[in-house]
Amino acid sequence: MVGEGMKKKALRKDFFVEVRKSRNRFLSILFIVALGVSFYSGIQSAAPDMKRSGDVYFDREKLMDLKVVSTLGLTEEDLLELEKTEGIETAEGAYMTDVLCGEGDNQKVLHLESVTEDFQKLQPDEGTLPSKADECFLDAQAAQAFDVHVGDTITVQEDGEESDSVLKRKTFTVAGIGGSPAYIAFSRGNTTLGSGEVLGFCYILPENFDLDVYTQVFLSVEGAEEEVAFTDAYDSLVATAKEKVEELSEKRCQVRYDEVTGEAQEKIDDAKQELADGRKESDEKLADAEKTLTDGEEELEQGKKDLEDGKKQLSEARTQLDEQKTALDEQEEQLKTAEAQFGGSTPEIEAGKTKIAEAREQLSEGEKELETKESELAKAEETIKENETKLADGRKDYEEAKKEAEDKIAEGEDKIADAEADLAALEFPAWTVSDRNDMTDYSGYADNANQMKSLGAVFPVLFFLVAALISLTTMTRMVEEERTQIGTLKALGYSKSSIAGKYVFYALLATVGGSVLGVLAGEKIFPYVIIDAYRIMYQHMDGMVLDYQLDHALVASLVALFCTMAGTLSACGKELASMPAVLMRPPAPKEGKRVFLERIGFIWKHLSFSWKSTVRNLFRYKKRLFMTVFGIGGCMALLLVGFGLRDSIMDVVLLQYGEIQLYDGMLVLNEDASDAEVEALKKDLSSRSDVEESMDVYMKKHAAKGENGTCEVYLMMPEKLENFSDFIHTRNRITKEAYTLSDEGIILAEKTAKMLGVKSGGSITVESRDGEDVEVPVAEICENYMQNFAYISPGLYEKLFGSVPEANNILFKGTDSSDEAAIEKTGQELLKNKAALSVTYIGTLAGRLNDMLGSLDVVIVVLIISAGMLAFVVLYNLNNININERKRELATLKVLGFFDGEVSSYVFRENVLLTVFGCILGVVLGSALHRYVITTVEIESYMFGRIIKFPSYLISIAITFCFSILVNLLMHFKLKKIDMVESLKSVE
Amino acid sequence: MAEKDFVKLKNVTKIYQMGEVQIRAVDGIDFSIDKGEFVVVVGPSGAGKTTVLNILGGMDKASGGEVLVDGKDIAGYSQKQLTGYRRNDIGFVFQFYNLVPNLTALENVELALQISRNPLDAKTVMQEVGLGDRLNNFPAQLSGGEQQRVSIARALAKNPKLLLCDEPTGALDYQTGKAILKLLQDMCRERGMTVIVITHNSALTPMADRVIRIKNGKVSETHRNEHPVSVETIEW
């Protein structure tokens, strides 16, 4: 027992002395392990860390889990029902509309939303959130484009008629500028307004909206905050809630429909009733008026008659009076005659005279009376005349009133008819329930995280392989150095396992140390660098969560442990199997071997001795050769992948928009536009001087099936085939052979063909618009990098689908394709045509891709640094071993009188050769790895370029050589330090 | 006949500073050697022989004193000058031969020649050392004696002013050792080469023209053999 303890104690002491003595060796294993582990666990952790950081940010800023939008708006009651839905925690309604902002050419679309209390907390970069009705909070992106600052005012314009206005106010003071969790990157969505692109968002207080119903309702899902966004757990939780909301949607839509139709019907009914009432009332009024009028007329008639009668009576009375006068005159005459006869007056005469005088008096009185009457009559006549005029006026008024009433009624009837028609045309409402994944940038964020993950799965393999090789060579060297000691221990009777234990434990300690260091550093540094770099894209996502991911740490450490253990065990296996006596003797010097190159005399003869020695050395230490070539190859491969990735994505922009899709913009036609309107648009297009050419196409997304799978394909049919190649260049990616569209079959995009599993000459099944499966022959496969396109000739379309559809898109080319602003101006002007619904610019698409490229630069930097570290560790380790092993030889050279430079170059020649070999291997390895990475990181509808460009090879090689030279420089100083006395020492 | 004082050491010291302790490995050595002499430097282990050899070979610098070789004081040389000195003036034979294992015997000789100013023909030298038929063998394929012959050939082919041999027979058996010493003696006699052999073996002293005994870092005795004997007659 005591002996056992002593033994262990002695060995343990030896072990720690060994570690201290061979610090470099120990550290080199530790570092390569740390490098491998940190790289693997770091990049693997970047994805979950990105997601966690995103989650923390979204939870803090209260991004909605679900959003409901209805075609008929959402009522207060809908809101309550939504809130009550199983799985929904809170619900809040909000308003939203797209408005125009800015002047003239600088007119851009803003997405105007109401500020919500419980959702989408806004993050001001400067200023504050809006607190008054006339304040707004503006998107930083838009503020920059407009050059607007806090305190400035902006005026927005609504589209459409004044009566449709939803805003109570159009001018706002910018209270704050910043970001919203609903818009994390650059994308702001699309609109039917203006140029079709939304420049940014703008939040205002809800009271500014003049709407009875909410435009949208935000929902938070119960328990979703506890789950990490982007994970399956979160997705499934939200999906369940989403289903529930969709279930509710049917019920609520019916209610809403009934409500809207009911309201409308009620209004119509009311209107009808009102109309009927109005009609009745007006009829009555008219009748009254008519009666009054008729009565008046009758009265007038009577008056007239009375007047006539009066006149007649009067004239009769006058006649009578005249007769009486005449009779009186006759009597007077008779009296005069009688007087004359009698010669004087007689009493009788006198009496007669008196009588006559009396009669005369009576007569004059009668005449007076008559005259009075006559004047009365004249007055009455006048009154009648006046009344007559009045009556005529009344009649006229009446006629007018009657017409007016009739018009009004007709109008009311029309309105009712219109309202009825509208009601009949009212579509059943539909809810669109969207979750976070429907937000382009949100899902883009997850895509980016996942891309990191797949990248992180490939590269560390290199590091682990190198780690295995390094520990193999290092441990081999260590065991070789200590063979005498191993022999001694064996001779003393130590067991194999306790001797091997030292080496195993040595490697174990280095590996565990390296793993711990790697995990500690890697899982903080890599995710930090990556997330920090992505902040260029996600400016307002300031949260950063860098958790230690134990699973990745464990995987990486175990793999590293396996690699170093395998290396160590295979290194000490041979020595341990030998007899002690063999081990005590110095090892037989390694034999110089002739290499095959010596057989090629003319080359060999021209080599200097140093070169000969170099070449022979390379092949003598095969393990080292392999390790170095592999390490440098790995470095080169990493660099190549980094630069290659850049090339590939650049290719998408360069090739897709430079060589394949040659048009500058695409107009989407309004399906409701009349033929005349479409004609007008076409005329506009052909008459414009800034449009070089345009082509009418029919384009529609179809579900397609192939042997390998299904996907959505954009079927594009040009109306005419002649100038098709001016707009879309269909060609073979490798041979560049141009294909022409014919009735033989469709030309299918390469990536699409691959996904469907079809080759030229084969066929795919396409679902027609009527839902029928149609077999479509594939004539050629063409180069294409974005979207799943299939080009079809009108002839073939007619043959397969029965009829040729009308064009729904127009592709156009500007006179100067390079002038993006001019193209955009053209597009905006074209949009003024009623037939044009929206426009997409190629330039904008290219710009978005370039943004993506920006974030990839980070990946490249990470790759270059990792590659550099890999190359450095490998070369440093190799050179260290190499120099240690050949100290004697190098010291001898020094004694022989070799200058420091000559000694260095004697060693470096090997490094240079190995670097060359490594580069060659790296090209092969890198190309393969690049291909793999490209296909892994590729998003479904994209195809990245497959080619690494020549300059990338050059740069990668140059950088690899730089690393190699750097190590050589460091080694030069180590070589200088070699003591010549080494040459006098005895052989170990 | 012989050039006097071809090599001359005057009060040469070498002091190593080990922490606070000064170790005087060489403590004021004086001796001189004529051109073409076969010199044996003899002394027990740790007497300072190797230090003298290192200083004389330009592999180490003396702490004090003068080291005159062919009239030049190498004690004042810079590192670069010393390298040049080793390159052109010194031929070195190691105890463990120190051949480059990856080069053949002939190539090992040629390796030294490519840096020398006026070298001899490699093949001729190889024939002279008796290895005319092993030119294309690698060191591992040669016996110890043969390897030492290659090492001597490598030193000689540089056509140096001084041939320094550090325990040339230390790793060899008795007979082979004798043969190697014979070769060195012959080279000295035939080519007029100045040869300095360092050994702990006092039995070799009779074959030398001059014997220098070193003890405790000082020269304890130096004398000339007027009649040196051939190595074959010596037994030890």
Side-chain angles (χ1 to χ4, degrees):
Chain A
M1 270 325 278
V2 175
E4 192 73 11
M6 290 285 289
K7 207 159 48 175
K8 278 194 174 157
K9 202 174 163 190
L11 278 185
R12 203 176 307 134
K13 190 168 181 205
D14 175 53
F15 174 77
F16 287 111
V17 171
E18 184 68 46
V19 172
R20 215 172 310 134
K21 209 174 67 189
S22 60
R23 214 178 301 117
N24 281 349
R25 181 179 299 156
F26 186 80
L27 288 179
S28 74
I29 297 179
L30 189 133
F31 277 126
I32 188 73
V33 168
L35 207 59
V37 169
S38 69
F39 199 67
Y40 178 84
S41 63
I43 293 187
Q44 286 293 309
S45 300
D49 281 348
M50 260 178 96
K51 291 178 181 176
R52 280 279 292 138
S53 302
D55 180 61
V56 167
Y57 170 77
F58 292 131
D59 283 347
R60 194 190 68 203
E61 301 301 323
K62 303 231 179 278
L63 180 65
M64 94 287 167
D65 294 312
L66 288 172
K67 181 171 91 171
V68 183
V69 175
S70 168
T71 47
L72 285 182
L74 294 142
T75 60
E76 215 40 77
E77 207 179 317
D78 284 334
L79 192 65
L80 286 175
E81 285 293 323
L82 277 168
E83 207 159 19
K84 274 190 270 174
T85 306
E86 191 191 330
I88 299 300
E89 197 170 353
T90 48
E92 186 176 359
Y95 308 100
M96 176 265 287
T97 185
D98 285 340
V99 292
L100 288 166
C101 186
E103 294 293 321
D105 285 348
N106 198 24
Q107 197 169 58
K108 293 280 156 56
V109 180
L110 279 182
H111 195 68
L112 206 59
E113 283 197 51
S114 64
V115 175
T116 39
E117 228 168 273
D118 296 333
F119 292 93
Q120 277 88 256
K121 293 254 183 295
L122 304 172
Q123 296 164 275
D125 292 341
E126 45 181 315
T128 56
L129 299 184
S131 53
K132 281 182 270 174
D134 63 347
E135 288 182 339
C136 73
F137 182 83
L138 192 62
D139 187 352
Q141 195 169 306
Q144 201 184 1
F146 286 131
D147 192 23
V148 168
H149 304 280
V150 171
D152 293 354
T153 54
I154 56 166
T155 303
V156 300
Q157 254 174 279
E158 280 180 274
D159 197 36
E161 285 165 37
E162 195 59 37
S163 61
D164 294 336
S165 171
V166 298
L167 290 176
K168 288 182 188 158
R169 184 194 304 275
K170 304 280 169 66
T171 304
F172 301 94
T173 308
V174 179
I177 291 172
S180 157
Y183 304 94
I184 51 175
F186 307 115
S187 161
R188 294 288 184 263
N190 291 316
T191 177
T192 50
L193 275 186
S195 66
E197 275 173 53
V198 180
L199 179 76
F201 58 80
C202 181
Y203 283 87
I204 53 176
L205 295 184
E207 55 256 40
N208 287 309
F209 284 90
D210 189 12
L211 284 169
D212 303 330
V213 286
Y214 296 121
T215 333
Q216 51 194 0
V217 168
F218 299 118
L219 303 173
S220 69
V221 175
E222 255 168 50
E225 198 176 325
E226 283 74 50
E227 295 297 340
V228 177
F230 309 104
T231 58
D232 290 343
Y234 172 84
D235 284 347
S236 71
L237 196 67
V238 171
T240 319
K242 191 177 172 184
E243 259 168 51
K244 288 273 185 282
V245 171
E246 270 160 359
E247 269 169 37
L248 177 73
S249 117
E250 273 172 50
K251 203 179 95 198
R252 293 308 307 167
C253 280
Q254 187 62 55
V255 171
R256 179 69 183 142
Y257 182 69
D258 292 349
E259 192 179 271
V260 172
T261 50
E263 259 171 35
Q265 192 60 56
E266 210 173 286
K267 264 187 199 159
I268 290 171
D269 289 348
D270 282 355
K272 272 186 181 163
Q273 184 61 46
E274 217 172 292
L275 188 68
D277 288 352
R279 185 179 280 168
K280 204 172 144 204
E281 202 183 326
S282 87
D283 278 356
E284 270 168 17
K285 268 189 192 157
L286 278 174
D288 282 355
E290 172 88 59
K291 194 155 172 277
T292 322
L293 219 55
T294 327
D295 286 356
E297 267 167 351
E298 257 167 40
E299 232 171 280
L300 190 71
E301 231 26 66
Q302 193 58 44
K304 270 189 186 163
K305 212 171 142 203
D306 286 353
L307 186 72
E308 279 317 302
D309 283 354
K311 270 188 186 166
K312 209 171 160 194
Q313 269 174 10
L314 212 60
S315 81
E316 265 170 29
R318 175 143 322 256
T319 318
Q320 234 174 328
L321 199 70
D322 282 345
E323 269 170 18
Q324 279 173 357
K325 242 185 198 174
T326 319
L328 220 63
D329 284 344
E330 270 173 20
Q331 276 176 5
E332 212 174 17
E333 204 65 31
Q334 275 169 355
L335 269 177
K336 269 179 187 168
T337 317
E339 210 180 18
Q341 269 170 343
F342 293 104
S345 171
T346 67
E348 279 144 2
I349 291 171
E350 278 308 308
K353 268 188 184 173
T354 314
K355 257 190 190 168
I356 286 172
E358 274 171 13
R360 242 186 236 280
E361 210 155 289
Q362 263 174 2
L363 214 60
S364 78
E365 258 169 39
E367 200 161 3
K368 244 183 208 164
E369 205 176 315
L370 204 67
E371 267 169 14
T372 317
K373 281 240 173 96
E374 258 174 352
S375 92
E376 268 172 21
L377 212 63
K379 256 187 198 159
E381 204 171 3
E382 219 163 86
T383 315
I384 284 169
K385 257 190 195 148
E386 265 171 28
N387 281 347
E388 226 171 9
T389 324
K390 265 188 193 161
L391 208 61
D393 281 352
R395 172 71 59 191
K396 209 173 143 199
D397 284 350
Y398 168 78
E399 290 301 333
E400 271 172 17
K402 197 175 169 187
K403 190 151 179 290
E404 206 176 307
E406 273 166 3
D407 280 356
K408 258 191 190 160
I409 288 166
E411 205 180 307
E413 273 171 346
D414 273 358
K415 267 191 187 163
I416 290 170
D418 280 353
E420 274 175 335
D422 280 351
L423 181 63
L426 183 75
E427 272 179 47
F428 194 75
W431 279 12
T432 312
V433 186
S434 47
D435 57 29
R436 292 174 176 183
N437 284 317
D438 295 313
M439 301 160 74
T440 331
D441 286 339
Y442 179 90
S443 52
Y445 187 82
D447 285 345
N448 281 329
N450 289 332
Q451 273 175 32
M452 271 295 145
K453 204 181 170 101
S454 41
L455 275 182
V458 192
F459 297 123
V461 172
L462 278 176
F463 287 87
F464 287 132
L465 271 172
V466 172
L469 284 167
I470 284 203
S471 34
L472 178 69
T473 45
T474 313
M475 294 314 288
T476 307
R477 171 75 190 140
M478 183 168 163
V479 171
E480 271 171 12
E481 273 174 15
E482 298 191 348
R483 51 180 277 131
T484 325
Q485 198 195 339
I486 294 173
T488 315
L489 287 172
K490 269 191 122 179
L492 286 172
Y494 282 88
S495 68
K496 268 188 198 177
S497 58
S498 53
I499 300 170
K502 172 182 171 186
Y503 305 102
V504 170
F505 197 62
Y506 187 93
L508 186 78
L509 198 67
T511 308
V512 171
S515 295
V516 170
L517 190 71
V519 168
L520 288 182
E523 290 202 359
K524 290 283 178 197
I525 295 170
F526 281 94
Y528 177 85
V529 169
I530 289 165
I531 294 174
D532 188 58
Y534 268 116
R535 201 161 288 161
I536 301 169
M537 241 176 120
Y538 305 107
Q539 280 168 1
H540 289 97
M541 296 186 64
D542 48 2
M544 199 188 282
V545 182
L546 305 173
D547 288 340
Y548 282 112
Q549 312 281 339
L550 277 182
D551 47 344
H552 297 311
L554 215 59
V555 168
S557 305
L558 287 177
V559 171
L561 197 63
F562 172 79
C563 290
T564 52
M565 280 301 127
T568 309
L569 289 174
S570 72
C572 54
K574 199 187 88 194
E575 305 287 343
L576 280 172
S578 308
M579 290 306 290
V582 176
L583 292 172
M584 303 270 249
R585 278 199 293 272
K590 287 210 173 178
E591 275 182 40
K593 266 191 213 147
R594 294 189 188 278
V595 294
F596 78 100
L597 203 61
E598 292 180 47
R599 311 227 161 88
I600 313 168
F602 67 95
I603 298 179
W604 191 250
K605 270 183 213 154
H606 286 92
L607 291 177
S608 73
F609 308 104
S610 336
W611 274 109
K612 284 179 185 171
S613 173
T614 302
V615 172
R616 287 198 189 118
N617 259 333
L618 287 183
F619 292 97
R620 195 168 68 157
Y621 305 104
K622 289 205 187 63
K623 233 184 278 170
R624 213 147 62 196
L625 170 91
F626 187 64
M627 179 185 111
T628 317
V629 169
F630 200 83
I632 294 174
C635 161
M636 168 81 185
L638 282 181
L639 290 170
L640 209 50
V641 170
F643 290 111
L645 263 177
R646 209 188 146 84
D647 287 345
S648 295
I649 295 168
M650 283 279 241
D651 262 2
V652 176
V653 182
L654 291 177
L655 296 176
Q656 187 76 11
Y657 300 125
E659 294 181 23
I660 295 168
Q661 281 172 286
L662 304 171
Y663 53 91
D664 298 313
M666 182 170 80
L667 280 169
V668 179
L669 297 183
N670 187 345
E671 283 180 26
D672 301 330
S674 66
D675 286 351
E677 282 165 346
V678 174
E679 246 352 278
L681 172 65
K682 287 185 184 171
K683 218 171 151 189
D684 186 14
L685 266 168
S686 58
S687 65
R688 294 186 74 92
S689 62
D690 54 357
V691 173
E692 192 186 288
E693 214 178 346
S694 72
M695 177 173 75
D696 301 352
V697 295
Y698 169 76
M699 201 161 99
K700 191 102 195 158
K701 221 176 202 176
H702 287 268
K705 255 191 304 205
E707 266 177 40
N708 285 6
T710 58
C711 69
E712 299 259 283
V713 171
Y714 272 111
L715 203 58
M716 189 194 268
M717 183 204 76
E719 277 201 338
K720 290 184 197 101
L721 286 179
E722 294 102 70
N723 57 352
F724 181 63
S725 58
D726 291 351
F727 290 89
I728 289 155
H729 202 126
T730 47
R731 65 177 189 196
N732 185 297
R733 178 166 59 84
I734 297 152
T735 63
K736 305 285 174 209
E737 183 199 342
Y739 299 132
T740 36
L741 199 52
S742 74
D743 293 353
E744 298 297 310
I746 57 167
I747 298 182
L748 193 60
E750 192 175 337
K751 178 91 190 273
T752 320
K754 207 178 150 196
M755 275 199 288
L756 295 173
V758 65
K759 290 195 169 66
S760 62
S763 68
I764 56 170
T765 313
V766 174
E767 196 183 288
S768 76
R769 276 185 297 172
D770 311 325
E772 283 167 45
D773 280 353
V774 178
E775 179 145 329
V776 178
V778 177
E780 304 291 352
I781 308 292
C782 69
E783 182 177 6
N784 185 64
Y785 298 94
M786 279 185 78
Q787 308 287 17
N788 300 319
F789 280 113
Y791 307 105
I792 187 167
S793 71
L796 183 64
Y797 196 99
E798 191 172 16
K799 206 172 100 193
L800 294 172
F801 296 95
S803 63
V804 177
E806 265 184 49
N808 55 5
N809 289 288
I810 297 177
L811 310 181
F812 67 91
K813 278 168 95 170
T815 7
D816 182 7
S817 295
S818 57
D819 188 353
E820 267 181 49
I823 300 284
E824 214 159 301
K825 191 162 167 267
T826 310
Q828 262 179 0
E829 282 170 19
L830 285 170
L831 269 185
K832 287 184 185 141
N833 283 291
K834 279 200 176 150
L837 189 67
S838 70
V839 65
T840 323
Y841 308 106
I842 291 292
T844 335
L845 298 174
R848 248 177 239 162
L849 269 170
N850 279 326
D851 289 342
M852 225 174 118
L853 192 75
S855 67
L856 252 142
D857 276 344
V858 192
V859 179
I860 292 163
V861 171
V862 169
L863 285 179
I864 290 174
I865 293 172
S866 315
M869 283 164 94
L870 181 69
F872 194 83
V873 171
V874 168
L875 281 172
Y876 190 84
N877 187 269
L878 164 94
N879 277 290
N880 240 335
I881 295 179
N882 196 8
I883 288 169
N884 280 334
E885 228 174 78
R886 292 160 67 186
K887 244 183 197 158
R888 177 179 202 81
E889 185 180 323
L890 297 168
T892 308
L893 288 177
K894 283 191 165 187
V895 173
L896 286 178
F898 278 70
F899 286 110
D900 286 339
E902 287 169 331
V903 176
S904 296
S905 73
Y906 181 78
V907 175
F908 299 159
R909 220 170 267 125
E910 281 172 42
N911 289 346
V912 170
L913 263 187
L914 288 173
T915 309
V916 170
F917 291 158
C919 284
I920 295 168
L921 177 76
V923 168
V924 178
L925 205 64
S927 306
L929 202 58
H930 173 255
R931 179 66 59 92
Y932 173 82
V933 168
I934 284 297
T935 43
T936 324
V937 300
E938 227 165 43
I939 313 157
E940 198 180 279
S941 53
Y942 287 79
M943 183 172 99
F944 290 155
R946 296 289 189 259
I947 293 166
I948 304 175
K949 300 223 167 60
F950 188 64
S952 298
Y953 284 104
L954 283 188
I955 295 172
S956 304
I957 290 173
I959 294 179
T960 307
F961 267 88
C962 281
F963 287 134
S964 175
I965 288 165
L966 186 71
V967 171
N968 282 351
L969 272 176
L970 282 173
M971 283 301 145
H972 179 70
F973 295 104
K974 198 177 162 85
L975 282 172
K976 263 178 105 163
K977 277 193 206 141
I978 290 182
D979 195 344
M980 280 175 279
V981 176
E982 291 286 335
S983 64
L984 305 178
K985 284 185 180 158
S986 66
V987 183
E988 293 157 351
Chain B
M1 135 211 141
E3 203 178 309
K4 283 287 266 180
D5 294 345
F6 183 63
V7 176
K8 189 173 176 65
L9 273 68
K10 283 190 205 162
N11 194 26
V12 171
T13 54
K14 179 72 191 176
I15 301 160
Y16 294 103
Q17 193 77 34
M18 302 290 269
E20 307 225 321
V21 190
Q22 281 192 346
I23 295 171
R24 296 181 161 265
V26 172
D27 193 9
I29 278 185
D30 294 281
F31 65 76
S32 62
I33 293 166
D34 295 341
K35 196 174 179 174
E37 275 185 339
F38 190 94
V39 182
V40 171
V41 179
V42 72
S45 297
K49 305 186 298 270
T50 306
T51 311
V52 172
L53 177 87
N54 286 349
I55 290 167
L56 206 50
M59 288 153 64
D60 208 346
K61 272 181 153 183
S63 306
E66 282 176 41
V67 181
L68 296 161
V69 176
D70 199 10
K72 286 178 190 113
D73 183 10
I74 64 162
Y77 274 16
S78 68
Q79 284 297 336
K80 204 173 169 185
Q81 283 173 310
L82 279 178
T83 309
Y85 167 72
R86 292 198 299 272
R87 198 176 180 119
N88 296 312
D89 300 343
I90 297 293
F92 213 100
V93 178
F94 302 90
Q95 182 178 4
F96 301 101
Y97 341 125
N98 293 7
L99 299 178
V100 180
N102 268 324
L103 296 177
T104 60
L106 181 65
E107 284 162 358
N108 261 291
V109 178
E110 286 173 325
L111 174 70
L113 303 192
Q114 68 171 347
I115 58 166
S116 248
R117 215 183 285 142
N118 47 353
L120 308 173
D121 179 58
K123 269 187 200 163
T124 323
V125 180
M126 281 298 278
Q127 268 152 11
E128 278 182 48
V129 300
L131 286 176
D133 51 347
R134 310 295 304 264
L135 295 178
N136 292 319
N137 286 75
F138 283 102
Q141 296 164 321
L142 300 171
S143 71
E146 283 169 328
Q147 285 188 55
Q148 194 59 297
R149 280 170 197 267
V150 178
S151 175
I152 292 168
R154 183 174 65 185
L156 284 175
K158 281 167 82 180
N159 203 8
K161 290 178 179 167
L162 208 57
L163 191 62
L164 294 174
C165 312
D166 179 27
E167 298 276 11
T169 60
L172 297 172
D173 60 70
Y174 180 74
Q175 283 306 328
T176 321
K178 263 192 167 176
I180 289 300
L181 287 171
K182 170 92 174 68
L183 176 65
L184 289 171
Q185 204 175 22
D186 290 349
M187 287 302 141
C188 175
R189 301 278 177 263
E190 284 161 26
R191 296 180 159 273
M193 178 75 71
T194 315
V195 178
I196 302 173
V197 174
I198 287 177
T199 181
H200 64 280
N201 190 353
S202 302
L204 299 183
T205 48
M207 67 180 286
D209 295 320
R210 189 186 292 270
V211 177
I212 297 164
R213 284 186 191 276
I214 292 181
K215 219 176 189 175
N216 291 329
K218 289 192 168 84
V219 177
S220 64
E221 183 205 341
T222 167
H223 73 265
R224 258 190 80 88
N225 274 345
E226 289 311 321
H227 303 287
V229 296
S230 170
V231 73
E232 279 120 326
T233 61
I234 304 174
E235 297 284 336
W236 66 86

